Amino acid sequence: MPTQPITLTRHILSQQRVHPEATGELSALLVQIGLAAKVISRELALLGLGALKGQTGDINVQGEAVKRLDAFANETFVHAFGHSGLVCTLISEEMEKPLHLPENCGRAKYTLLFDPIDGSSNIDVNGAVGSIFSIYRRPTSGDHTAPEPNLRPGSEQVIAGYVLYGPGTMLVYADSHGVQAFTLDAGIGEFLLAYDQIRIPAKGAIYSVNEGHSGAWPPEIRRFVDYLKGRDPATGRPYSGRYIGAFVADFHRTLMSGGVFLYPADTAKRPSGRLRLLYEVNPMGLIAERAGGKASTGTGRILDIMPTSLHQRVPVIIGSADDVALGERFCRGDLS
Ligand code: AFP
């Protein structure tokens, strides 16, 4: 008899049984993220035809033009959690301040941080995009609706994950169990388990970085990337270059195939890099580490950073443990 596909809900409930203290709220939260992902995935499938093409005319807190899909995806996440009783504060790339959901505050135990659409530049060219999410326990002290109590290191995340809207829609998340991936079967509207206990190869053969910015990289990053491009079959070099321009897509390839993704500081325009710590790099850092990989600024562990603002950026080297460790050695000056 063919094995029954394992739905997201069935997998979550099986994990919940492993933790008798679980109340089911975290499980329900993941199911709601799955709902938001299904709604966004449906809109993306027909984007070229629909009203969600183009821009809203607004500029977000990042100083970026807001695409209609950015706004739609943000609202989709907000609606998925309003009146859910699951989270009382939402923090989004598209919202300058935390959004407080007073109707949930009595029972909600969690805070949700998210980037509703990562890779917006790919939208109008039918490229891969994603959503990224990070879940913390609600702060126990201070005004949990203010930014400050929500500025906690990535090591305190309870669950972190992303949805990749590619040829297929895939939901990937890391919890205490490990890293698992679910593929959306749109025909039945269910996410089905595709990969369980994902492990990232210790060393890869792909590097992923936007070389167009190389003129402004710190010299040690330039030396690391040049090393990866050098010819030495004994160390598996040269690495191949791959760059999709959406963090979720470039990270997912790195998670599944191994290798290293970098978004370095750009000494000219972006001294802290481009990627946001709280709702982009921290979630991927937790996933990378739970899969056996590493996530570093080049000189320190991403998940140890104590944030100072909601939308702060951070340089990142993330992926296979050996490849990231090599990058750190270049950044520390051990190698040149
Ligand atoms: P957009 O959402 O504005 O397309 O930015 C995507 C992103 O934040 C991240 O997903 C990519 O890794 C990175 O920017 C690409 O940046 P570059 O275009 O500078 O390579």
Side-chain angles (χ1 to χ4, degrees):
M1 174 164 169
T3 53
Q4 282 300 316
I6 297 177
T7 64
L8 175 64
T9 306
R10 178 177 156 193
H11 179 81
I12 291 171
L13 291 174
S14 66
Q15 287 312 308
Q16 193 177 305
R17 285 192 285 274
V18 172
H19 301 281
E21 72 283 2
T23 61
E25 286 174 289
L26 211 46
S27 306
L29 211 161
L30 276 168
V31 170
Q32 286 307 97
I33 286 175
L35 171 64
K38 291 176 198 175
V39 171
I40 294 167
S41 177
R42 185 186 62 184
E43 288 303 321
L44 276 167
L46 301 174
L47 191 65
L49 307 175
L52 291 179
K53 286 192 295 188
Q55 300 179 350
T56 64
D58 299 326
I59 301 295
N60 67 14
V61 65
Q62 321 292 341
E64 298 164 345
V66 178
K67 292 186 184 278
R68 284 195 174 85
L69 188 74
D70 287 321
F72 172 82
N74 192 66
E75 280 308 304
T76 299
F77 272 90
V78 172
H79 291 153
F81 289 95
H83 300 287
S84 66
L86 297 169
V87 295
C88 58
T89 303
L90 296 174
I91 292 168
S92 167
E93 183 205 34
E94 296 300 332
M95 300 187 294
E96 185 174 0
K97 295 183 170 50
L99 176 64
H100 179 43
L101 301 175
E103 70 274 15
N104 291 345
C105 256
R107 293 177 292 147
K109 293 183 186 167
Y110 299 102
T111 299
L112 174 67
L113 299 86
F114 62 101
D115 179 0
I117 291 290
D118 165 69
S120 303
S121 307
N122 285 350
I123 290 172
D124 293 337
V125 295
N126 198 31
V129 296
S131 302
I132 309 174
F133 59 92
S134 169
I135 300 168
Y136 286 81
R137 285 184 184 77
R138 168 180 170 176
T140 52
S141 61
D143 172 7
H144 65 273
T145 68
E148 293 68 24
N150 294 293
L151 300 176
R152 288 174 287 165
S155 56
E156 293 183 16
Q157 295 173 98
V158 179
I159 285 180
Y162 57 85
V163 182
L164 173 58
Y165 309 101
T169 293
M170 188 165 270
L171 188 154
V172 180
Y173 72 87
D175 59 10
S176 56
H177 170 71
V179 180
Q180 40 273 326
F182 299 79
T183 294
L184 177 62
D185 180 337
I188 58 174
E190 286 284 359
F191 279 101
L192 305 179
L193 184 65
Y195 302 94
D196 195 8
Q197 293 298 323
I198 297 172
R199 304 298 292 171
I200 189 170
K203 183 181 182 301
I206 294 171
Y207 76 99
S208 184
V209 67
N210 183 339
E211 299 224 37
H213 304 318
S214 62
W217 290 345
E220 59 273 14
I221 293 291
R222 173 73 276 160
R223 287 193 289 271
F224 174 45
V225 173
D226 285 346
Y227 173 84
L228 295 177
K229 294 162 72 172
R231 181 163 298 283
D232 175 18
T235 53
R237 293 180 293 140
Y239 280 31
S240 294
R242 292 285 187 280
Y243 195 71
I244 302 170
F247 186 25
V248 171
D250 282 313
F251 176 78
H252 185 70
R253 181 204 54 248
T254 305
L255 176 71
M256 301 307 286
S257 305
V260 61
F261 171 89
L262 308 91
Y263 206 106
D266 168 332
T267 50
K269 289 192 308 182
R270 293 192 170 104
S272 299
R274 172 172 183 159
L275 302 181
R276 293 79 165 181
L277 173 64
L278 285 184
Y279 40 76
E280 289 180 330
V281 180
N282 267 345
M284 297 318 197
L286 187 77
I287 295 167
E289 289 198 1
R290 291 279 161 84
K294 280 173 72 83
S296 173
T297 61
T299 56
R301 182 185 180 225
I302 288 286
L303 297 185
D304 288 341
I305 298 173
M306 180 52 80
T308 53
S309 68
L310 288 180
H311 302 290
Q312 76 181 72
R313 303 173 191 265
V314 67
V316 61
I317 306 175
I318 188 168
S320 293
D322 293 355
D323 293 325
V324 175
L326 187 65
E328 289 178 319
R329 292 185 63 193
F330 276 90
C331 290
R332 285 196 297 263
D334 299 347
L335 293 173
S336 58

